[in-house]
Amino acid sequence: MKAIFISYRREDAEGQAGRLFDDLTRHFGEDTVFMDVAGIEPGRDFRRVIDEHVASCGVLLAMIGKSWIDAADESGRRRLDDPMDFVRLETASALKRDIPVVPVLVHGARIPRADQLPTDLADLAYRNGVELTHARWDSDVQLLIKALNPYVESQKRNASPADITSAAPAPGITSTAGTVSPSGASRATGAGSVTPAQPAKRSLPIIVAGSVAALIISIGGYAWYQMSTQRAEVMRQAALLEEAKEKLAAEQLESKKRAEEKAAEAEEKKRTEARAAADAEEAKKLAREKATAAEAEAKRRAQEQAIAAQAEAKKLAREKAIAAEAEAKRRAQEQAIAAEAEAKRLAQQRANEQELETKRLAEQRSTAPPRAPPRRVPWVSYNFPPPNGGLVVYIIMKDGNPACASYDAARCLWGVTYDRIDFGRVKLLICGDAHRARWGVTGYEDPKHWCSMARGVKGNPT
């Protein structure tokens, strides 16, 4: 049972996942960290296999890079939207079982929002995460290890006896062939004792043969001992050589790793500087765009203000023109009314004067002695209406043009009756050419002029 399960997407964070796996196995041991669901037997449901592996872990590390959310398959469909996606299955299984899920952010990624995730992964947005950066990798990993220690210890405490394997020392092998002393003598190992043999007479050949056999056995044992010693020495030297090779390889690997880390740090520094330069250029671009937008906005507002001012000026001018026209009409109407009232007043005044004069003349006639009438001229008098209103004495000339009594041949004697006219001073004002020569009009242009009316009315003979 492995306490730590690393979930990752190969095209998103494969390198960082492998590096983290190495660091965690060095600290916790290979039996504690699990990274790949591999070796699924044919015919088994991979969903169940993933669920079983996740169910046995104490904590799941979800490695999230910049393309973790938007990674797509060959058809362009987002992988997280596929219910059979391995990463989704692993993470959803842990969340469903309430197994602690730690988002591990790499490449400057951010924890996704809930609205960016499928329903069964939405809780991931609310899990506390850690960030692993290339520049601070070792220190970031140490912080992560410190955070993982409680999960690993809890997993070990809750492990069943069947999950704990221990290696017992191999039992020794007892030889029944005996041991060989340095002198080459052989001792048998047995349960019983050996009774010393009774001295007997031996023949010389038997004694010689026994001596030769003992000599051969001694030489063979010594040779075997020498060979065993040399073989042990060779094996020891080989082991030392292999250990030296492994140490050298480890040093070379560590040196290579450090060189790669330095190169990666230098590359990261370059990328950081490039990003900073790009950010500065972007900031300049944004500043220029803002300045351009502000200038365009100012111009637009100025144009709008100018158009509004022009429209307001036109509106005021129209209102003034309308007001002036209305005022002019009002004044014209007032003047016309005043002129009409004045004409009526003058006509009334002339009528009153004429009436008074008529009364006076009547009184004079009634009291004055009779006088000889003047020479007879076909004079007539008529009280014309305004605007030439009033009583006037006139005659019709032989050519048909009316002529009024006047003292200066320019103005008729309005309101003066026939008996009050001094005919010795009379100079006729004749309508037509004479009238036009004096006033610029013949008097016939206006049907309300006395000249036009005199030819159509019958005056009173005088």
Side-chain angles (χ1 to χ4, degrees):
M1 181 172 61
K2 304 200 177 190
I4 303 172
F5 189 107
I6 300 177
S7 171
Y8 70 99
R9 199 178 293 286
R10 284 185 172 83
E11 63 269 25
D12 179 55
E14 182 177 18
Q16 286 72 17
R19 186 176 177 185
L20 179 61
F21 175 81
D22 293 339
D23 291 341
L24 295 180
T25 52
R26 275 197 297 270
H27 183 82
F28 293 112
E30 294 183 358
D31 294 336
T32 306
V33 187
F34 182 85
M35 187 169 76
D36 280 306
V37 178
I40 300 178
E41 296 86 350
R44 289 206 63 190
D45 189 337
F46 64 86
R47 297 173 298 176
R48 182 172 297 179
V49 173
I50 291 174
D51 194 58
E52 290 173 356
H53 279 84
V54 174
S56 64
C57 75
V59 60
L60 184 138
L61 303 182
M63 302 288 293
I64 298 177
K66 286 188 175 180
S67 61
W68 188 86
I69 298 176
D70 300 321
D73 56 18
E74 294 80 3
S75 63
R77 179 188 182 188
R78 197 174 71 147
R79 292 186 181 276
L80 282 181
D81 295 329
D82 182 4
M84 298 297 106
D85 179 54
F86 272 31
V87 171
R88 176 174 174 177
L89 287 170
E90 294 165 357
T91 310
S93 178
L95 292 171
K96 180 179 66 177
R97 296 176 179 274
D98 202 22
I99 294 173
V101 177
V102 180
V104 180
L105 308 174
V106 296
H107 295 309
R110 293 290 179 267
I111 295 178
R113 302 188 308 273
D115 59 1
Q116 296 177 300
L117 299 170
T119 305
D120 53 357
L121 297 185
D123 287 346
L124 182 64
Y126 308 104
R127 300 298 174 105
N128 251 351
V130 297
E131 185 178 12
L132 299 183
T133 60
H134 180 78
R136 302 187 305 273
W137 180 271
D138 292 335
S139 60
D140 290 343
V141 169
Q142 289 303 315
L143 292 175
L144 178 59
I145 289 173
K146 185 176 179 181
L148 294 176
N149 276 327
Y151 300 116
V152 176
E153 294 299 327
S154 175
Q155 190 78 354
K156 287 181 179 179
R157 286 195 302 270
N158 297 332
S160 63
D163 295 328
I164 303 175
T165 58
S166 58
I173 300 176
T174 305
S175 174
T176 60
T179 60
V180 179
S181 67
S183 63
S186 174
R187 294 181 179 177
T189 59
S193 62
V194 179
T195 305
Q198 297 293 328
K201 294 182 181 179
R202 294 184 179 88
S203 62
L204 181 60
I206 294 174
I207 294 172
V208 172
S211 299
V212 172
L215 180 61
I216 291 172
I217 291 172
S218 299
I219 293 172
Y222 181 74
W224 178 84
Y225 173 75
Q226 288 292 106
M227 289 176 64
S228 298
T229 304
Q230 291 176 359
R231 183 180 178 186
E233 181 64 21
V234 169
M235 291 178 67
R236 189 179 70 82
Q237 292 294 335
L240 291 174
L241 180 61
E242 186 65 25
E243 184 180 353
K245 286 182 179 179
E246 290 179 357
K247 185 176 180 181
L248 179 60
E251 290 177 353
Q252 289 177 347
L253 182 61
E254 185 66 22
S255 176
K256 183 179 179 181
K257 182 178 178 181
R258 289 177 182 174
E260 289 177 352
E261 289 179 353
K262 288 183 178 179
E265 289 177 359
E267 184 65 23
E268 182 66 21
K269 184 178 179 181
K270 288 182 180 178
R271 284 197 294 269
T272 302
E273 292 175 352
R275 283 197 297 269
D279 291 343
E281 185 62 28
E282 184 67 18
K284 290 181 180 178
K285 181 181 178 182
L286 289 175
R288 289 195 297 268
E289 290 177 354
K290 286 182 179 179
T292 303
E295 184 178 358
E297 181 65 17
K299 288 183 179 179
R300 184 185 66 79
R301 289 182 179 177
Q303 289 176 352
E304 289 180 352
Q305 291 175 354
I307 292 171
Q310 186 176 4
E312 185 65 19
K314 288 182 178 179
K315 179 182 177 182
L316 292 174
R318 285 195 301 271
E319 291 177 352
K320 287 182 179 179
I322 292 171
E325 184 178 358
E327 181 66 18
K329 287 182 179 179
R330 185 186 63 79
R331 290 181 179 178
Q333 288 176 354
E334 289 180 352
Q335 290 176 357
I337 292 170
E340 185 177 358
E342 181 66 18
K344 287 181 179 181
R345 187 187 66 79
L346 292 175
Q348 186 64 34
Q349 183 179 355
R350 288 176 183 173
N352 294 336
E353 290 177 354
Q354 184 176 358
E355 184 178 359
L356 292 174
E357 183 65 20
T358 301
K359 288 180 179 180
R360 187 182 65 80
L361 291 176
E363 291 176 356
Q364 286 180 356
R365 285 185 187 142
S366 62
T367 58
R371 61 175 182 174
R375 58 183 179 174
R376 299 304 296 169
V377 180
W379 294 94
V380 293
S381 62
Y382 189 79
N383 193 8
F384 291 97
N388 301 122
L391 177 68
V392 67
V393 176
Y394 68 95
I395 61 173
I396 302 298
M397 305 297 288
K398 291 182 179 181
D399 58 4
N401 290 318
C404 67
S406 172
Y407 290 145
D408 56 3
R411 286 175 291 276
C412 296
L413 298 175
W414 291 98
V416 181
T417 60
Y418 175 82
D419 55 355
R420 292 180 58 195
I421 297 174
D422 184 2
F423 286 96
R425 297 171 52 198
V426 169
K427 296 180 180 179
L428 296 177
L429 172 58
I430 305 172
C431 296
D433 293 336
H435 195 282
R436 180 168 52 197
R438 169 64 71 173
W439 298 107
V441 292
T442 62
Y444 302 129
E445 293 85 358
D446 185 2
K448 294 182 179 181
H449 196 275
W450 76 269
C451 291
S452 297
M453 298 176 69
R455 293 187 299 182
V457 300
K458 293 181 179 181
N460 299 318
T462 301

